[in-house]
Amino acid sequence: MQHKRVGVIGGGPVGLVTATILASWGTRTALIEWDDRRLRALEAGKAPFFEPGLDELLKEELEKEFLVVGGDLSVLSASPVTFICVGTPPGPDGTPDLGDLERATADAAEVVPEQGVVAIKSTVPPGTTSRLNAKIAESRHDIFFVSCPEFLREGEALHDMRSPSRVVVGGTDPQANKRVADLFAPSEAPVIFTSPTGAELIKYGSNAFLATKISFVNELANLCDLVGADVTEVANGIGADPRIGRAFLNAGLGFGGSCFPKDVRGLEEAGTTRGYTSWLLKACTDINAQQRYRFAAKIRSALSGSVAGSRIAVLGLSFKPGTDDLRQAPALDIVRSLRRDGARVVATDPVAILAAASLIPEVELVPDPYECVRDADALVLATEWPEYLALDWARIRDLMRGNVILDGRNVLDRKLLSSLGFWCYGIGRPVVAPNLGDEQDRIPHVATQQSAESR
Ligand code: UDX
């Protein structure tokens, strides 16, 4: 049987996951990585970032020899389809920087075979694929361009690649579109064919809608704080409408990561550069940017109006569980804000401590959450890692000096915490006071009593 062959340029979170899964489906895959450090890691069977299950799959596919990694683009001359999966990081104004993408596309166009297909998988502003196609057409007329966006969540990327909710292929040549779509046939996912710009807008629009849903529920949470309702109950009621759905209606510190912030700004910019102002996307970004600072203010208020001199433990640094990615992570801005206000901050994270050390050098980083909370006046949950939900909270109470918990993701068991003598603050949820039952007099920390009176 003639095995399909593809090339993938870019060994980052999108390219490496795409290459390993295509190889696992029996497609001979050549992964090209320019960065020497990353390339050495890949050749050693080690992903240069944390993604559950990826190291094991990478090693397996390298051993089976369906996947080869290297830095030499000439191998792409044997690949009828080449995916471009290089990063499009946010520039100073938050919109995507396409420098690497333009370079990778130009390099690929020099080596892909006649009738070859260049599939742009990187997330790009609407119109980019067509513009790159026109630019390359000045030197080559015998290759095709399609947009084939990815919908991978960090921490769930292997699942999302194996079982996507849809495969989107945007191109003007039906044969070229089909060749790309056929590569994903093992996923048995529905395929949506559209124009290149249509595919780009499906990607931007999907992320912008999810981000807007989050900012919407955070706006509701801020209103719940003012009117005295519980946003979790409100979200349950709203999400019960099948037209709305409960997913992505979890109020908290807001969204971070490399995708939502950049894609919302990129879509907004697509309008601005054409004379259109998207107030909705602007509001989504603004609400999200403020959410983490509103929470820092809530921490100050819970500690009698000032954190100066307080020891505050922060559980979780990555922008979400399941990843070591700190890009736009709310925890980093909260930690910096607390430090600016004179607090002593001790932080922990299951996988992101190494990455965080250079970003928040003024913060004490400890691997063990129990050590992190020792003698703390307050505990902040910033990332809802499952490990933290399963902690021994009675042991935490005995280790802490104070009894104030601020749950930035509304995920902790408030009834349990209250029964253990904690004050528990959430986002858009009523404060829960200690309820020790017959031990009510055991509120251990005087400052907390003062703050209790000031509440
Ligand atoms: C997202 C999209 O889900 C994915 O389809 C796309 O390909 C890339 O961008 P990712 O950024 O990895 O994936 O994480 P996701 O799980 O979507 O969460 C994004 C952010 O929203 C995180 O910071 C998360 O904490 C936050 N979030 C998510 C909320 O604040 N509330 C929610 O209800 C859900």
Side-chain angles (χ1 to χ4, degrees), residues 150-154 203 207 210 214 248-250 254-256 259-260 319-320 384 409:
E150 48 80 23
F151 301 94
L152 307 180
R153 292 167 295 167
E154 292 187 41
K203 170 65 182 178
N207 273 8
L210 291 168
I214 293 165
F248 278 68
L249 276 182
N250 301 321
F255 56 84
C259 297
F260 281 5
F319 85 92
K320 62 177 268 195
E384 68 279 23
R409 296 294 179 177

Side-chain angles (χ1 to χ4, degrees), residues 192-258:
I192 293 168
F193 292 107
T194 180
S195 67
T197 304
E200 290 160 345
L201 272 175
I202 288 170
K203 170 65 182 178
Y204 258 9
S206 300
N207 273 8
F209 183 81
L210 291 168
T212 302
K213 202 173 175 184
I214 293 165
S215 283
F216 175 78
V217 75
N218 280 333
E219 181 129 286
L220 268 189
N222 298 337
L223 291 169
C224 283
D225 273 337
L226 296 172
V227 301
D230 184 327
V231 71
T232 302
E233 295 168 3
V234 171
N236 291 342
I238 291 173
D241 183 328
R243 295 170 302 171
I244 298 171
R246 181 63 179 79
F248 278 68
L249 276 182
N250 301 321
L253 294 174
F255 56 84
S258 62

Side-chain angles (χ1 to χ4, degrees), residues 163-205:
S163 313
S165 43
R166 72 292 202 199
V167 173
V168 173
V169 179
T172 54
D173 180 276
Q175 281 309 310
N177 293 348
K178 188 176 179 315
R179 276 158 57 192
V180 173
D182 285 351
L183 292 167
F184 299 93
S187 73
E188 298 181 347
V191 181
I192 293 168
F193 292 107
T194 180
S195 67
T197 304
E200 290 160 345
L201 272 175
I202 288 170
K203 170 65 182 178
Y204 258 9

Side-chain angles (χ1 to χ4, degrees), residues 94-343:
T95 59
D97 174 344
L98 302 182
D100 282 352
L101 177 83
E102 315 241 355
R103 189 162 45 254
T105 307
D107 289 351
E110 284 178 17
V111 291
V112 297
E114 276 188 34
Q115 303 301 305
V117 182
V118 175
I120 308 292
K121 192 163 272 293
S122 305
T123 302
V124 295
T128 301
T129 302
S130 300
R131 179 173 59 79
L132 291 171
N133 189 0
K135 193 170 172 184
I136 298 301
E138 291 165 11
S139 53
R140 284 196 68 170
H141 296 278
D142 60 341
I143 57 177
F144 303 97
F145 274 75
V146 303
S147 168
C148 180
E150 48 80 23
F151 301 94
L152 307 180
R153 292 167 295 167
E154 292 187 41
E156 314 275 350
L158 295 182
H159 166 273
D160 291 350
M161 179 70 196
R162 284 188 178 113
S163 313
S165 43
R166 72 292 202 199
V167 173
V168 173
V169 179
T172 54
D173 180 276
Q175 281 309 310
N177 293 348
K178 188 176 179 315
R179 276 158 57 192
V180 173
D182 285 351
L183 292 167
F184 299 93
S187 73
E188 298 181 347
V191 181
I192 293 168
F193 292 107
T194 180
S195 67
T197 304
E200 290 160 345
L201 272 175
I202 288 170
K203 170 65 182 178
Y204 258 9
S206 300
N207 273 8
F209 183 81
L210 291 168
T212 302
K213 202 173 175 184
I214 293 165
S215 283
F216 175 78
V217 75
N218 280 333
E219 181 129 286
L220 268 189
N222 298 337
L223 291 169
C224 283
D225 273 337
L226 296 172
V227 301
D230 184 327
V231 71
T232 302
E233 295 168 3
V234 171
N236 291 342
I238 291 173
D241 183 328
R243 295 170 302 171
I244 298 171
R246 181 63 179 79
F248 278 68
L249 276 182
N250 301 321
L253 294 174
F255 56 84
S258 62
C259 297
F260 281 5
K262 175 184 60 142
D263 294 354
V264 175
R265 279 287 296 121
L267 186 55
E268 182 194 348
E269 188 69 7
T272 309
T273 52
R274 294 170 174 83
Y276 176 81
T277 302
S278 168
W279 299 109
L280 179 63
L281 295 176
K282 191 170 166 27
C284 170
T285 296
D286 292 349
I287 292 167
N288 190 64
Q290 279 309 308
Q291 199 65 4
R292 53 196 71 183
Y293 296 107
R294 293 174 63 89
F295 191 65
K298 186 169 278 199
I299 298 170
R300 283 196 296 276
S301 154
L303 290 177
S304 314
S306 166
V307 296
S310 296
R311 183 184 172 98
I312 299 179
V314 176
L315 301 189
L317 293 170
S318 58
F319 85 92
K320 62 177 268 195
T323 178
D324 62 350
D325 195 340
L326 292 161
R327 288 175 289 185
Q328 307 280 328
L332 297 188
D333 287 327
I334 290 168
V335 158
R336 290 177 182 130
S337 170
L338 292 172
R339 288 284 300 142
R340 273 198 303 276
D341 292 344

